Amino acid sequence: MTEWEKYQQIRREAVFTGLALLVLILFWCWAGFGLADVDTEIFGLPLWAVTSSIGVWLFAIVLVKILLKFVFRDMPLEDSQVEKGADIHE
């Protein structure tokens, strides 16, 4: 993998992580404010309180699993010259 390909992959991972954060924030707003008028209770707590705390936590785990499966790649971060045994300080 060339340095440019590594840079592109790192950039792609950063962009998708930012998008996942945006989706998580929107979900949190919907789970907290959007469900505020619902009168359902879970364990004696209003639905909005449960979904905006535990629900967001579980949704974040799902988003991370999606990122790991479809976006992130395992790649060596070492310089290719170091891998070939060349001294980069010469």
Side-chain angles (χ1 to χ4, degrees):
M1 183 176 254
T2 67
E3 294 297 318
W4 178 251
E5 291 170 332
K6 289 179 186 178
Y7 169 75
Q8 290 296 324
Q9 178 61 28
I10 291 168
R11 186 174 177 271
R12 181 174 180 257
E13 291 174 4
V15 167
F16 277 95
T17 302
L19 289 174
L21 176 61
L22 180 64
V23 168
L24 189 62
I25 290 170
L26 292 173
F27 179 80
W28 175 75
C29 288
W30 172 79
F33 299 114
L35 297 176
D37 294 333
V38 178
D39 291 331
T40 306
E41 289 188 357
I42 299 176
F43 303 117
L45 297 170
L47 181 63
W48 66 267
V50 175
T51 57
S52 66
S53 56
I54 297 170
V56 171
W57 180 73
L58 293 173
F59 188 64
I61 291 172
V62 170
L63 285 176
V64 168
K65 288 201 166 272
I66 290 170
L67 286 174
L68 288 173
K69 185 170 184 172
F70 296 109
V71 177
F72 284 80
R73 287 180 43 195
D74 191 17
M75 62 183 175
L77 297 177
E78 294 86 24
D79 190 14
S80 59
Q81 291 178 343
V82 174
E83 291 175 3
K84 294 178 182 176
D87 188 7
I88 60 173
H89 300 290
E90 290 181 353

